[in-house]
Amino acid sequence: MPENLTDLIAELALANRILSHEGVLDAFGHVSVRHPSDPGRYLLSRSRSPLLIEPGDILEYTLDSAPVRPPKVHLYAERVIHGCIYQARSDVMAVCHHHAPAVMPFCIAGKPIVPVFHLGAAMGEEAPFWDQHDEFGDTNLLVVKPEEGQSLARRLGQHAAVLMNRHGATVVGGGLKELVARSIFMCQNAEYQMRALALGAATPLHPGETKLAGVISAMPTVVTRTWEYWSLRLAASGAMPPRRSVKKSARGRGKARRRR
Amino acid sequence: MPENLTDLIAELALANRILSHEGVLDAFGHVSVRHPSDPGRYLLSRSRSPLLIEPGDILEYTLDSAPVRPPKVHLYAERVIHGCIYQARSDVMAVCHHHAPAVMPFCIAGKPIVPVFHLGAAMGEEAPFWDQHDEFGDTNLLVVKPEEGQSLARRLGQHAAVLMNRHGATVVGGGLKELVARSIFMCQNAEYQMRALALGAATPLHPGETKLAGVISAMPTVVTRTWEYWSLRLAASGAMPPRRSVKKSARGRGKARRRR
Amino acid sequence: MPENLTDLIAELALANRILSHEGVLDAFGHVSVRHPSDPGRYLLSRSRSPLLIEPGDILEYTLDSAPVRPPKVHLYAERVIHGCIYQARSDVMAVCHHHAPAVMPFCIAGKPIVPVFHLGAAMGEEAPFWDQHDEFGDTNLLVVKPEEGQSLARRLGQHAAVLMNRHGATVVGGGLKELVARSIFMCQNAEYQMRALALGAATPLHPGETKLAGVISAMPTVVTRTWEYWSLRLAASGAMPPRRSVKKSARGRGKARRRR
Amino acid sequence: MPENLTDLIAELALANRILSHEGVLDAFGHVSVRHPSDPGRYLLSRSRSPLLIEPGDILEYTLDSAPVRPPKVHLYAERVIHGCIYQARSDVMAVCHHHAPAVMPFCIAGKPIVPVFHLGAAMGEEAPFWDQHDEFGDTNLLVVKPEEGQSLARRLGQHAAVLMNRHGATVVGGGLKELVARSIFMCQNAEYQMRALALGAATPLHPGETKLAGVISAMPTVVTRTWEYWSLRLAASGAMPPRRSVKKSARGRGKARRRR
């Protein structure tokens, strides 16, 4: 991960757009990264759909999910998901919360996702389930209160991902690129598992295979290859984030789009 | 909703195209909005596929679904759906009739759609079914006669949506943006419910959750975020509606397309 | 249908591309139309994928499927499908043979497609099955010999479509636009039927409904609307057929593409 | 296949991109071709996602999968798949290893893919399964060691394809174009087989039909038609490989993309 704040913010905007373009995020979902020099803070966009996020949208938060500078914009209602996980897990450097179509059927059916192919091992063994209703009764299912975020973080434990009943999933990583790859591979895994079940059986990897295959996505050949590929696909769709400040780029972009 | 008629007509054209681009409408289906200053009238396009609708296509109708000004164009055969619902439900400000691929399997199998994730709660509890054959025997299934529209409106009752056997669905809203979000979320819900059923079970939200989560799509952060996102996706596909009068824009557009 | 040969050829090229863009045809499949002034001839492209067909590719055939002018290009191996149907059915003005992903599962499972929604009624009641193996034993499944084409035409009988086991489908129409609409609606119908079956049941329309709804796709509002919509979608993808002669347009097109 | 090395390398880059654009390859998977004048060597890209491969990325390998010239770039970890198959099968001129979404459910469920439509016969009769765990116990499932590649080649035997449990598939061909067609048709076949099974049954072709239909994809009308079609689809997406050397084209391409 870049140690320079500006570069990391640019990478975070790009990560948001890649995850959106690859079908993990849609109008909803959010990705954060821990501050590169202050582990007591994290970086997260203002409330905006991930495909549109620009570096200028990124705000700094304390681990209590309070914005460091008073914002003039809407914030994500569910930012405690990020703060509570950074508090509970010092090894976690990046967090993604999403409602990907590939995982939703599992979150609704209450059926576990298990690694069924080598890249799927990036999610580790079976992800745990968290049902907000168990502890908090009737809610609108958004994770908004600190105690809700803390409960979710407890259920995540030392896992790489947690499924949230009738809501979505939250995935963590030791870095932004690892998080992006893990989130994408876990969605592919869920899709393949679902279709294999329709054929009769979805046998998971042997536990030893899961351990060994779990680090494939950290191999230099793989990180280089996937990031280049996902970036090119995003660029080909015309959706690369601008590098300039919010206001200018917003104006610039509008023009470019209109001109097409 | 805009109180200015011109702005509302522009928003209606945009709503048609967003719903088409997001897979709710296709060659068929239509969206209307109640007149902003005369509750005894509604606005609906001439007969045209929603992705192509321009402000100049929008016509004014009485609640008997008669055009206010004698038209020189084809009208939708099924416009009584809109008029009859506006007559029966003074709270309804916008109506969408569609045959979305996500809901069709339920309309054919006669299996109810129930809210299975937080955004799906936008449709409220289980939508009722209406089978045109029950009351009218063999027809071509189009809702064309006033008595057919009235029967459908009765079955809709105080619900947010009604499923029409072997035909499609009709969704209502307190405003255009609410209607758009509800229609899209209901289709996602149907898709997830279908896939969760394939995994073994599609447990609906608890009734209290449905009530609380049902208003998420009216949260300012959500309305702002989704409308910006769906508009950007439409714009990126090159299909934003022109703002000028029908004839001029039609000509202008043709040229722009040919130039690509 | 245009009575002018040049206009009809242009419409046939457009029909090929629309059916390809809407997912009925792919690298394979072909569409023909009966000659507007000589019922003993039909028009069909040289061997080429439908998305690429230009007016200059269209050749004239006798009903024995012999080219009227000696060709310097490859011909479709399966053109007897067209000739034999035009011989057997004087009411048929257009024929489409395809392997659409939506119908293939039914052709393989041997499960009939039945009209399950109002637009699906365009295909009429249940389409018959034809298994080339029954009469001809082991073949490569291509319909190449006159006797194979005649056998297929016999099985089609007075129906609007015939399913070919482990191969595809052949659809007929009283005109090109009717054929295009029928082919597209039949694929949507197959898709919805399959998904409704996954939900538990795919109840067909009542026979009286099928008869009444079967003519919706011939309603002026519907023909105008669908043709405009499918053409716009094709145009937006940059794949409209050129109007000039083969050689010139082929050169012109290459340049335009390279310039993008 | 071109006998000229430069032309063959250009065709190999194109084959990579076609297979990616048609959904056989994604961030992963690779395609190789035997050297046109030295059967003891083969050509394969450096480690890169197939959609991005340019002629300048192609390297030459001995059949021990050692690069002929010391490379300054990352190599595919699994290149022994190619070398070991070229050693074992002198008739094989091209090899594709992939994790296509269409075959993954079969690789996970352990359910055989069988030819269910005429073009599916390009894969021959039922493809054998190879489970790396049987012989090598817990691994990360990548085929990296020569003995792993040799074991895979033994299981492939004289077949056209081999399925790899919880990993993917490897397909071989007598030429690049045959390999591309076979890989694409086998994926379509798997997709149709899966959906036919959902309808109740996926009856395979009669063995005699498989033999006769297996050569359709080598018919001149078919080779010409499919290669033109897949190339045009790739070109329309803006992803044709450049013909110039790596460095120059990489620079040129970046500019072109940015300009869009």
Side-chain angles (χ1 to χ4, degrees):
Chain A
M1 283 210 303
E3 294 187 18
N4 175 288
L5 185 61
T6 308
D7 290 351
L8 185 60
I9 284 175
E11 194 173 295
L12 179 57
L14 183 53
N16 267 281
R17 290 177 181 231
I18 283 176
L19 284 168
S20 181
H21 192 251
E22 297 298 328
V24 177
L25 305 173
D26 48 19
F28 301 98
H30 14 85
V31 191
S32 69
V33 69
R34 202 187 280 267
H35 193 286
S37 55
D38 181 352
R41 293 185 177 181
Y42 69 91
L43 305 165
L44 177 72
S45 170
R46 67 177 173 103
S47 173
R48 203 175 194 194
S49 289
L51 189 62
L52 289 75
I53 289 173
E54 310 181 0
D57 293 324
I58 308 295
L59 305 174
E60 219 174 299
Y61 293 92
T62 64
L63 297 196
D64 290 328
S65 297
V68 170
R69 275 167 291 278
K72 295 175 191 163
V73 289
H74 287 305
L75 307 182
Y76 288 129
E78 297 190 300
R79 59 195 183 276
V80 294
I81 293 177
H82 303 265
C84 292
I85 289 175
Y86 289 122
Q87 283 183 329
R89 288 272 300 268
S90 62
D91 62 314
V92 166
M93 299 303 284
V95 175
C96 173
H97 168 61
H98 68 78
H99 322 143
V103 306
M104 291 307 293
F106 292 87
C107 300
I108 292 162
K111 190 133 193 163
I113 300 177
V114 295
V116 291
F117 81 123
H118 60 310
L119 296 168
M123 61 167 277
E125 295 290 343
E126 186 182 322
F129 269 102
W130 180 74
D131 190 335
Q132 191 159 345
H133 199 271
D134 290 347
E135 198 171 331
F136 302 97
D138 285 345
T139 65
N140 66 1
L141 278 95
L142 296 182
V143 181
V144 175
K145 298 182 190 161
E147 53 270 33
E148 291 167 339
Q150 287 152 9
S151 168
L152 176 68
R154 274 195 304 275
R155 196 78 190 88
L156 170 67
Q158 294 306 307
H159 291 272
V162 57
L163 299 186
M164 302 151 81
N165 287 74
R166 298 179 292 286
H167 179 164
T170 298
V171 186
V172 302
L176 253 184
K177 288 186 180 177
E178 186 189 46
L179 176 75
V180 166
R182 177 175 284 163
S183 302
I184 292 173
F185 295 154
M186 183 175 165
C187 285
Q188 289 181 332
N189 188 90
E191 191 65 38
Y192 300 160
Q193 181 182 346
M194 173 143 187
R195 290 163 58 94
L197 281 166
L199 283 177
T203 331
L205 299 191
H206 299 271
E209 288 178 329
T210 300
K211 201 159 283 177
L212 291 165
V215 294
I216 289 179
S217 45
M219 286 167 58
T221 55
V222 169
V223 173
T224 311
R225 202 191 317 176
T226 52
W227 198 258
E228 184 192 22
Y229 175 65
W230 293 324
S231 297
L232 176 114
R233 279 166 55 92
L234 182 69
S237 80
M240 284 297 276
R243 302 220 94 197
R244 285 160 294 154
S245 72
V246 195
K247 284 208 179 140
K248 273 189 188 166
S249 65
R251 235 183 291 134
R253 174 159 202 179
K255 252 186 220 161
R257 288 223 166 258
R258 237 166 292 132
R259 223 181 287 138
R260 287 219 305 176
Chain B
M1 286 211 300
E3 294 187 18
N4 175 288
L5 184 62
T6 309
D7 290 351
L8 185 60
I9 284 174
E11 193 173 296
L12 179 57
L14 182 54
N16 267 280
R17 291 177 180 232
I18 284 176
L19 284 168
S20 182
H21 191 253
E22 298 298 326
V24 177
L25 305 173
D26 49 19
F28 301 98
H30 14 87
V31 190
S32 69
V33 68
R34 202 187 281 266
H35 193 287
S37 55
D38 180 352
R41 293 185 177 182
Y42 69 91
L43 306 165
L44 177 71
S45 169
R46 66 177 174 102
S47 173
R48 203 175 194 194
S49 289
L51 190 61
L52 289 75
I53 289 174
E54 309 181 0
D57 293 323
I58 307 295
L59 304 174
E60 220 174 298
Y61 292 93
T62 63
L63 297 196
D64 291 328
S65 297
V68 170
R69 275 167 291 278
K72 296 174 192 166
V73 290
H74 286 305
L75 307 182
Y76 288 129
E78 297 190 299
R79 59 194 184 277
V80 295
I81 293 177
H82 302 266
C84 292
I85 289 175
Y86 289 121
Q87 283 183 328
R89 288 272 300 268
S90 61
D91 62 313
V92 166
M93 298 304 285
V95 175
C96 173
H97 168 61
H98 69 77
H99 322 143
V103 306
M104 290 306 293
F106 292 88
C107 300
I108 293 163
K111 190 132 193 163
I113 300 177
V114 295
V116 291
F117 82 123
H118 60 310
L119 295 168
M123 62 168 276
E125 296 289 344
E126 185 181 323
F129 269 103
W130 179 74
D131 190 335
Q132 192 159 345
H133 199 270
D134 291 346
E135 198 171 332
F136 302 96
D138 286 345
T139 65
N140 66 0
L141 277 95
L142 297 182
V143 181
V144 175
K145 297 183 192 160
E147 52 270 33
E148 291 167 339
Q150 286 152 7
S151 169
L152 176 68
R154 274 195 304 274
R155 195 80 189 88
L156 169 67
Q158 293 306 308
H159 292 272
V162 57
L163 298 187
M164 301 150 82
N165 286 75
R166 298 180 291 285
H167 179 162
T170 298
V171 186
V172 302
L176 253 182
K177 289 187 178 176
E178 185 190 44
L179 176 75
V180 167
R182 177 175 284 162
S183 301
I184 293 174
F185 296 155
M186 183 174 165
C187 285
Q188 291 182 332
N189 189 90
E191 192 65 37
Y192 300 161
Q193 182 183 345
M194 173 144 186
R195 290 163 58 94
L197 281 166
L199 283 177
T203 331
L205 299 190
H206 298 270
E209 289 178 329
T210 300
K211 203 160 282 178
L212 291 165
V215 294
I216 289 178
S217 44
M219 285 167 58
T221 55
V222 169
V223 174
T224 310
R225 202 191 317 175
T226 51
W227 198 258
E228 183 191 22
Y229 176 64
W230 292 324
S231 297
L232 176 115
R233 279 166 57 91
L234 181 70
S237 80
M240 283 296 276
R243 301 220 97 198
R244 285 160 295 154
S245 73
V246 196
K247 284 207 180 137
K248 274 189 188 167
S249 65
R251 234 183 294 134
R253 173 158 203 179
K255 253 188 219 158
R257 287 221 166 259
R258 239 167 290 133
R259 223 182 286 136
R260 287 219 304 179
Chain C
M1 285 211 298
E3 294 186 18
N4 175 287
L5 184 62
T6 308
D7 290 350
L8 185 60
I9 284 175
E11 193 173 296
L12 180 56
L14 182 55
N16 267 280
R17 291 178 180 230
I18 283 176
L19 284 169
S20 182
H21 191 253
E22 298 298 327
V24 177
L25 305 173
D26 49 20
F28 301 99
H30 13 88
V31 190
S32 70
V33 69
R34 202 187 281 267
H35 193 287
S37 55
D38 180 352
R41 294 186 176 180
Y42 68 91
L43 306 165
L44 177 71
S45 170
R46 66 177 174 103
S47 173
R48 202 175 195 193
S49 289
L51 190 62
L52 289 75
I53 289 173
E54 309 182 0
D57 294 323
I58 308 295
L59 304 174
E60 219 173 300
Y61 292 93
T62 63
L63 297 196
D64 290 327
S65 297
V68 171
R69 273 167 291 277
K72 297 175 193 165
V73 289
H74 287 305
L75 307 182
Y76 290 129
E78 297 189 299
R79 59 195 183 278
V80 294
I81 293 176
H82 303 265
C84 292
I85 289 175
Y86 289 121
Q87 282 183 330
R89 289 272 301 267
S90 61
D91 61 314
V92 167
M93 298 303 286
V95 175
C96 173
H97 168 61
H98 68 77
H99 322 143
V103 306
M104 291 306 292
F106 292 87
C107 299
I108 293 163
K111 190 131 194 166
I113 301 177
V114 295
V116 292
F117 81 124
H118 60 309
L119 296 168
M123 61 168 277
E125 296 290 342
E126 185 181 324
F129 269 103
W130 179 74
D131 190 335
Q132 192 158 344
H133 200 270
D134 291 346
E135 198 171 333
F136 302 97
D138 286 344
T139 65
N140 66 1
L141 278 97
L142 297 183
V143 182
V144 174
K145 297 182 191 161
E147 52 270 34
E148 291 166 340
Q150 286 151 9
S151 168
L152 175 67
R154 273 195 305 274
R155 195 80 189 90
L156 169 68
Q158 294 306 307
H159 292 271
V162 57
L163 299 187
M164 301 150 81
N165 288 75
R166 298 179 293 286
H167 179 161
T170 299
V171 185
V172 302
L176 254 182
K177 289 187 178 175
E178 185 190 46
L179 176 75
V180 167
R182 178 176 283 162
S183 302
I184 292 174
F185 295 154
M186 184 176 164
C187 285
Q188 291 182 331
N189 188 90
E191 192 66 37
Y192 300 160
Q193 182 182 345
M194 173 145 187
R195 291 163 60 92
L197 281 166
L199 283 178
T203 331
L205 299 191
H206 298 272
E209 288 177 330
T210 301
K211 201 159 284 178
L212 291 166
V215 294
I216 289 178
S217 45
M219 285 167 58
T221 56
V222 169
V223 174
T224 311
R225 203 192 317 176
T226 52
W227 199 258
E228 183 191 22
Y229 176 65
W230 293 324
S231 297
L232 176 117
R233 279 165 56 91
L234 181 69
S237 80
M240 282 297 275
R243 301 220 96 198
R244 284 159 296 154
S245 72
V246 195
K247 283 205 180 140
K248 275 191 187 164
S249 66
R251 232 184 294 135
R253 172 152 204 186
K255 252 188 219 160
R257 289 222 166 260
R258 238 167 291 133
R259 223 181 285 138
R260 286 219 306 179
Chain D
M1 283 209 301
E3 294 186 19
N4 175 287
L5 185 61
T6 309
D7 290 350
L8 185 60
I9 284 175
E11 194 172 296
L12 179 56
L14 183 54
N16 267 281
R17 291 178 181 231
I18 283 176
L19 284 168
S20 183
H21 192 253
E22 298 299 326
V24 176
L25 306 172
D26 48 20
F28 302 99
H30 14 87
V31 191
S32 69
V33 70
R34 202 187 281 267
H35 193 287
S37 56
D38 181 350
R41 293 185 177 180
Y42 68 90
L43 306 165
L44 178 71
S45 170
R46 67 177 174 102
S47 173
R48 202 176 195 193
S49 289
L51 190 62
L52 290 74
I53 290 173
E54 308 182 0
D57 294 323
I58 308 295
L59 305 173
E60 219 173 300
Y61 293 93
T62 63
L63 296 196
D64 291 328
S65 297
V68 171
R69 277 168 288 278
K72 297 175 193 164
V73 289
H74 287 304
L75 307 182
Y76 289 129
E78 297 190 299
R79 58 195 184 277
V80 294
I81 293 177
H82 303 264
C84 292
I85 290 175
Y86 288 121
Q87 284 183 329
R89 289 273 299 269
S90 62
D91 61 314
V92 166
M93 299 303 285
V95 175
C96 173
H97 168 61
H98 68 77
H99 321 144
V103 306
M104 291 307 292
F106 292 88
C107 299
I108 293 162
K111 189 131 194 165
I113 300 177
V114 295
V116 292
F117 82 124
H118 60 309
L119 296 168
M123 61 167 277
E125 296 290 343
E126 185 182 323
F129 269 102
W130 179 74
D131 191 335
Q132 193 159 342
H133 199 270
D134 290 346
E135 198 171 331
F136 302 97
D138 286 345
T139 65
N140 67 1
L141 278 97
L142 296 183
V143 181
V144 174
K145 298 181 191 162
E147 52 270 33
E148 292 167 340
Q150 286 151 9
S151 168
L152 176 68
R154 274 195 304 275
R155 196 80 190 87
L156 169 67
Q158 294 306 307
H159 292 272
V162 58
L163 299 186
M164 302 151 81
N165 287 73
R166 298 179 292 284
H167 179 162
T170 298
V171 186
V172 302
L176 253 182
K177 289 186 179 176
E178 186 191 44
L179 176 75
V180 167
R182 178 175 282 161
S183 302
I184 292 173
F185 295 154
M186 184 176 164
C187 285
Q188 290 181 333
N189 188 89
E191 191 66 38
Y192 300 159
Q193 183 182 345
M194 172 143 187
R195 290 162 58 93
L197 281 166
L199 283 178
T203 330
L205 299 191
H206 298 272
E209 288 177 329
T210 301
K211 202 159 284 176
L212 291 165
V215 295
I216 289 178
S217 44
M219 287 167 57
T221 54
V222 169
V223 174
T224 311
R225 203 193 316 177
T226 52
W227 198 258
E228 184 192 22
Y229 175 64
W230 292 324
S231 298
L232 176 116
R233 278 166 56 92
L234 182 70
S237 80
M240 283 297 275
R243 303 220 92 196
R244 284 159 296 155
S245 73
V246 197
K247 285 208 178 137
K248 274 190 187 163
S249 67
R251 233 184 293 134
R253 174 156 201 180
K255 251 187 219 159
R257 289 223 166 259
R258 237 168 291 131
R259 224 182 285 138
R260 288 218 307 175

